[in-house]
Amino acid sequence: MIDCSFPAARLRRTRVGSWCRDLVAETTLAPSDLIWPMFITEGAGVEEPIATLPGVSRCSVDKLVGQAREARALGIPCIALFPNTPPGLRTEDASEALNPDNLICRAIRAVKDAVPEIGILTDVALDPYTADGHDGITDEAGYVLNDETSKILVEQALVQASAGADIVAPSDMMDGRVGAIRKALEEDGHPNVQIMAYAAKYASAFYGPFRDAVGSRGLLKGDKKSYQMDPRNSTEALREVAMDIAEGADHVMVKPGLPYLDIVRRVKERFEIPVFAYQVSGEYAMIEAAAAAGAGDRDALVLETLIAFKRAGCVGVLSYHAPVAARLLGA
Ligand code: PBG
């Protein structure tokens, strides 16, 4: 039994100095907990700032390789790559997603050549390639078709795996796609390519800057509520996770991050699988805006939010603040 009687119990005793705060800390944060998402664009020597994501740029492949080296030097084990596809290559059938020489595949090969030790995670979804910015292909009424989309996602995952992706991360929320992708990876000779399922991905207002970064915001027709989850639901997230695990996911992800830590905690308590969260673009932007307005210290906000993910049960976090945090953690 815990003795709660004062003064035998003085909870401030173990807070008296940083040495003993460190000693009793229940959670730790290290650069190895972080995945750094990066945006890619065509060209050479290009670093285009993203207005709604201050401090983050779209990089051409050569510059991206430099960032991958930086990630490695900072002790960040994995990077996540997102392409900004030129408008002329966006079509109704998203065929550019299956081009083995598309921007993401060239980026994967360049990073693998230059920094072979770093893990590469790629998004499996069609929104960088569709004319209407949806994650799948649509019928005449604008409804995103599940099984037809799933077939293309399988091909997209194979194209990425063949280029050298280590983790494919379906972010599309089609039913059944994890199983279909796992089967195809096995049959196509990629038994060690991992799947991180965006298992509980919510239809969120926090994705705005990301859509600017990949160039899909202005294109998007309607919303994604017919495939992404309703923020009012929590138990449904457990069904999503259970299905993705049954279908062969190696990791599951909850997204967005901070507003959904209750989901992280429920998933962590229920399942024996690594749980990740994505601290998404709108969350990054909020922290930057708060700091710019003088409402809080940026570095402290970054570290406090990242430790919150670990405390909630995450084994790792995707965050645009990954390099900032890794530097603060003194890699
Ligand atoms: C798209 C995708 C999105 C994000 C990751 N993959 C946006 C969306 O679903 O519209 C969001 C990431 C972020 O906001 O940082 N498949």
Side-chain angles (χ1 to χ4, degrees):
M1 238 239 303
I2 301 172
D3 183 359
C4 293
S5 61
F6 177 85
R10 282 185 190 269
L11 296 185
R12 291 183 56 196
R13 240 178 244 134
T14 53
R15 297 175 200 148
V16 74
S18 70
W19 66 270
C20 59
R21 290 194 292 272
D22 286 347
L23 196 62
V24 300
E26 297 171 40
T27 314
T28 57
L29 178 68
S32 60
D33 297 323
L34 302 169
I35 298 178
W36 180 2
M38 300 177 182
F39 298 104
I40 329 158
T41 191
E42 290 289 354
V46 182
E47 259 181 73
E48 281 169 1
I50 302 154
T52 51
L53 217 46
V56 179
S57 295
R58 281 180 217 105
C59 293
S60 52
V61 171
D62 54 322
K63 291 281 179 180
L64 181 82
V65 166
Q67 281 197 350
R69 280 204 184 91
E70 192 186 338
R72 175 74 188 156
L74 287 168
I76 295 171
C78 185
I79 60 176
L81 302 182
F82 298 94
N84 179 306
T85 309
L89 292 174
R90 294 174 195 252
T91 56
E92 258 169 53
D93 64 359
S95 53
E96 179 64 8
L98 309 186
N99 172 4
D101 275 319
N102 66 13
L103 183 56
I104 185 111
C105 290
R106 280 180 275 128
I108 296 167
R109 286 194 290 266
V111 172
K112 276 286 150 193
D113 262 4
V115 201
E117 315 82 17
I118 203 148
I120 300 182
L121 179 151
T122 54
D123 221 48
V124 179
L126 302 181
D127 55 310
Y129 307 101
T130 49
D132 62 7
H134 275 294
D135 289 24
I137 54 166
T138 43
D139 66 14
E140 310 79 58
Y143 183 74
V144 173
L145 297 164
N146 194 86
D147 300 7
E148 293 77 354
T149 296
S150 213
K151 284 197 187 89
I152 304 174
L153 296 174
V154 167
E155 297 304 316
Q156 182 186 23
L158 289 179
V159 164
Q160 294 173 351
S162 300
D166 299 293
I167 305 179
V168 291
S171 71
D172 53 282
M173 293 299 281
M174 299 302 116
D175 287 316
R177 89 289 200 210
V178 169
I181 292 170
R182 183 72 268 160
K183 183 166 179 283
L185 288 171
E186 296 298 317
E187 288 171 1
D188 208 50
H190 304 290
N192 285 335
V193 170
Q194 303 163 42
I195 299 178
M196 183 183 295
Y198 283 72
K201 175 172 176 179
Y202 286 84
S204 171
F206 284 96
Y207 304 150
F210 173 95
R211 292 178 189 166
D212 287 337
V214 300
S216 69
R217 193 183 212 171
L219 303 172
L220 186 61
K221 292 216 182 77
D223 57 43
K224 300 191 177 183
K225 291 180 184 170
S226 81
Y227 45 107
Q228 298 179 349
M229 280 185 60
D230 187 329
R232 290 173 293 189
N233 296 347
S234 164
T235 303
E236 186 189 350
L238 301 181
R239 287 189 81 192
E240 284 283 0
V241 169
M243 278 182 73
D244 288 353
I245 294 175
E247 290 176 30
D250 300 284
H251 324 264
V252 294
M253 189 209 292
V254 173
K255 178 183 170 198
L258 285 186
Y260 295 86
L261 288 186
D262 58 318
I263 309 299
V264 168
R265 170 51 62 183
R266 285 192 78 185
V267 170
K268 170 71 184 168
E269 278 172 359
R270 177 75 70 91
F271 301 99
E272 281 94 33
I273 190 162
V275 183
F276 288 80
Y278 198 144
Q279 185 175 39
V280 299
S281 56
E283 298 177 67
Y284 174 95
M286 279 201 314
I287 291 174
E288 291 296 318
D297 175 69
R298 200 262 308 238
D299 295 350
L301 291 168
V302 168
L303 292 181
E304 183 177 335
T305 56
L306 289 172
I307 204 73
F309 288 103
K310 294 292 302 291
R311 193 186 62 239
C314 286
V315 70
V317 189
L318 291 88
S319 172
Y320 303 96
H321 279 125
V324 172
R327 245 172 248 120
L328 290 171
L329 293 166

